[in-house]
mmCIF file of all heavy atoms in Angstrom:
data_model
loop_
_atom_site.group_PDB
_atom_site.id
_atom_site.type_symbol
_atom_site.label_atom_id
_atom_site.label_comp_id
_atom_site.label_asym_id
_atom_site.label_seq_id
_atom_site.Cartn_x
_atom_site.Cartn_y
_atom_site.Cartn_z
ATOM 1 N N ILE A 96 -2.935 5.563 6.710
ATOM 2 C CA ILE A 96 -4.148 5.260 5.950
ATOM 3 C C ILE A 96 -4.092 3.786 5.536
ATOM 4 O O ILE A 96 -3.037 3.161 5.641
ATOM 5 C CB ILE A 96 -4.263 6.138 4.677
ATOM 6 C CG1 ILE A 96 -3.032 5.933 3.769
ATOM 7 C CG2 ILE A 96 -4.396 7.604 5.048
ATOM 8 C CD1 ILE A 96 -3.105 6.705 2.446
ATOM 9 N N TYR A 97 -5.208 3.241 5.072
ATOM 10 C CA TYR A 97 -5.129 1.892 4.502
ATOM 11 C C TYR A 97 -5.817 1.848 3.150
ATOM 12 O O TYR A 97 -6.602 2.730 2.796
ATOM 13 C CB TYR A 97 -5.702 0.835 5.451
ATOM 14 C CG TYR A 97 -7.187 0.918 5.727
ATOM 15 C CD1 TYR A 97 -8.117 0.373 4.843
ATOM 16 C CD2 TYR A 97 -7.659 1.522 6.877
ATOM 17 C CE1 TYR A 97 -9.478 0.433 5.102
ATOM 18 C CE2 TYR A 97 -9.018 1.587 7.149
ATOM 19 C CZ TYR A 97 -9.924 1.043 6.250
ATOM 20 O OH TYR A 97 -11.277 1.116 6.511
ATOM 21 N N GLY A 98 -5.473 0.811 2.387
ATOM 22 C CA GLY A 98 -6.084 0.594 1.081
ATOM 23 C C GLY A 98 -6.325 -0.888 0.877
ATOM 24 O O GLY A 98 -5.972 -1.713 1.729
ATOM 25 N N ARG A 99 -6.956 -1.206 -0.231
ATOM 26 C CA ARG A 99 -7.316 -2.594 -0.539
ATOM 27 C C ARG A 99 -6.443 -3.120 -1.672
ATOM 28 O O ARG A 99 -6.254 -2.426 -2.677
ATOM 29 C CB ARG A 99 -8.797 -2.636 -0.941
ATOM 30 C CG ARG A 99 -9.724 -2.405 0.244
ATOM 31 C CD ARG A 99 -11.108 -2.004 -0.219
ATOM 32 N NE ARG A 99 -12.121 -2.257 0.802
ATOM 33 C CZ ARG A 99 -12.438 -1.424 1.800
ATOM 34 N NH1 ARG A 99 -11.801 -0.264 1.932
ATOM 35 N NH2 ARG A 99 -13.373 -1.738 2.686
ATOM 36 N N LEU A 100 -5.989 -4.368 -1.535
ATOM 37 C CA LEU A 100 -5.160 -4.990 -2.570
ATOM 38 C C LEU A 100 -5.982 -6.025 -3.333
ATOM 39 O O LEU A 100 -6.716 -6.821 -2.736
ATOM 40 C CB LEU A 100 -3.943 -5.676 -1.932
ATOM 41 C CG LEU A 100 -2.999 -4.753 -1.161
ATOM 42 C CD1 LEU A 100 -1.881 -5.575 -0.511
ATOM 43 C CD2 LEU A 100 -2.404 -3.673 -2.071
ATOM 44 N N LEU A 101 -5.840 -5.982 -4.656
ATOM 45 C CA LEU A 101 -6.549 -6.910 -5.531
ATOM 46 C C LEU A 101 -5.556 -7.844 -6.207
ATOM 47 O O LEU A 101 -4.389 -7.491 -6.395
ATOM 48 C CB LEU A 101 -7.306 -6.129 -6.617
ATOM 49 C CG LEU A 101 -8.446 -5.244 -6.144
ATOM 50 C CD1 LEU A 101 -8.964 -4.396 -7.310
ATOM 51 C CD2 LEU A 101 -9.574 -6.090 -5.555
ATOM 52 N N ARG A 102 -6.065 -9.020 -6.596
ATOM 53 C CA ARG A 102 -5.211 -9.988 -7.283
ATOM 54 C C ARG A 102 -4.558 -9.358 -8.512
ATOM 55 O O ARG A 102 -3.398 -9.610 -8.811
ATOM 56 C CB ARG A 102 -6.060 -11.204 -7.679
ATOM 57 C CG ARG A 102 -5.263 -12.277 -8.373
ATOM 58 C CD ARG A 102 -6.047 -13.566 -8.464
ATOM 59 N NE ARG A 102 -6.167 -14.202 -7.161
ATOM 60 C CZ ARG A 102 -7.069 -15.133 -6.849
ATOM 61 N NH1 ARG A 102 -7.947 -15.506 -7.749
ATOM 62 N NH2 ARG A 102 -7.094 -15.666 -5.663
ATOM 63 N N SER A 103 -5.301 -8.538 -9.231
ATOM 64 C CA SER A 103 -4.777 -7.939 -10.467
ATOM 65 C C SER A 103 -3.610 -6.983 -10.222
ATOM 66 O O SER A 103 -2.913 -6.594 -11.154
ATOM 67 C CB SER A 103 -5.903 -7.181 -11.177
ATOM 68 O OG SER A 103 -6.398 -6.168 -10.312
ATOM 69 N N MET A 104 -3.388 -6.581 -8.974
ATOM 70 C CA MET A 104 -2.292 -5.650 -8.685
ATOM 71 C C MET A 104 -0.962 -6.364 -8.482
ATOM 72 O O MET A 104 0.091 -5.740 -8.485
ATOM 73 C CB MET A 104 -2.591 -4.869 -7.401
ATOM 74 C CG MET A 104 -3.807 -3.969 -7.478
ATOM 75 S SD MET A 104 -4.112 -3.238 -5.855
ATOM 76 C CE MET A 104 -5.633 -2.347 -6.187
ATOM 77 N N GLU A 105 -1.020 -7.683 -8.269
ATOM 78 C CA GLU A 105 0.206 -8.392 -7.910
ATOM 79 C C GLU A 105 1.016 -8.769 -9.141
ATOM 80 O O GLU A 105 0.513 -9.401 -10.064
ATOM 81 C CB GLU A 105 -0.122 -9.643 -7.076
ATOM 82 C CG GLU A 105 1.131 -10.302 -6.562
ATOM 83 C CD GLU A 105 0.895 -11.251 -5.387
ATOM 84 O OE1 GLU A 105 -0.237 -11.306 -4.871
ATOM 85 O OE2 GLU A 105 1.873 -11.920 -5.007
ATOM 86 N N MET A 106 2.275 -8.379 -9.149
ATOM 87 C CA MET A 106 3.176 -8.724 -10.253
ATOM 88 C C MET A 106 3.905 -10.013 -9.881
ATOM 89 O O MET A 106 4.177 -10.268 -8.707
ATOM 90 C CB MET A 106 4.207 -7.622 -10.462
ATOM 91 C CG MET A 106 3.606 -6.279 -10.804
ATOM 92 S SD MET A 106 4.908 -5.052 -11.059
ATOM 93 C CE MET A 106 5.394 -4.708 -9.392
ATOM 94 N N THR A 107 4.269 -10.771 -10.901
ATOM 95 C CA THR A 107 4.953 -12.027 -10.606
ATOM 96 C C THR A 107 6.410 -12.014 -11.067
ATOM 97 O O THR A 107 7.244 -12.697 -10.502
ATOM 98 C CB THR A 107 4.214 -13.220 -11.237
ATOM 99 O OG1 THR A 107 3.925 -12.888 -12.586
ATOM 100 C CG2 THR A 107 2.929 -13.510 -10.489
ATOM 101 N N GLY A 108 6.727 -11.227 -12.071
ATOM 102 C CA GLY A 108 8.108 -11.234 -12.571
ATOM 103 C C GLY A 108 8.865 -9.980 -12.176
ATOM 104 O O GLY A 108 8.462 -9.257 -11.266
ATOM 105 N N GLU A 109 9.958 -9.730 -12.866
ATOM 106 C CA GLU A 109 10.803 -8.571 -12.565
ATOM 107 C C GLU A 109 10.471 -7.386 -13.450
ATOM 108 O O GLU A 109 11.093 -6.335 -13.334
ATOM 109 C CB GLU A 109 12.282 -8.937 -12.756
ATOM 110 C CG GLU A 109 12.762 -9.946 -11.741
ATOM 111 C CD GLU A 109 14.275 -10.023 -11.628
ATOM 112 O OE1 GLU A 109 14.975 -9.520 -12.534
ATOM 113 O OE2 GLU A 109 14.749 -10.582 -10.624
ATOM 114 N N GLU A 110 9.516 -7.577 -14.363
ATOM 115 C CA GLU A 110 9.244 -6.487 -15.286
ATOM 116 C C GLU A 110 8.095 -5.625 -14.778
ATOM 117 O O GLU A 110 7.041 -6.135 -14.421
ATOM 118 C CB GLU A 110 8.900 -7.065 -16.664
ATOM 119 C CG GLU A 110 8.754 -5.975 -17.692
ATOM 120 C CD GLU A 110 8.776 -6.515 -19.113
ATOM 121 O OE1 GLU A 110 9.636 -7.356 -19.411
ATOM 122 O OE2 GLU A 110 7.916 -6.083 -19.894
#
Side-chain angles (χ1 to χ4, degrees):
I96 58 177
Y97 66 82
R99 289 161 159 85
L100 299 177
L101 294 172
R102 181 167 289 161
S103 59
M104 296 175 184
E105 187 161 353
M106 300 181 284
T107 48
E109 293 197 344
E110 186 165 315

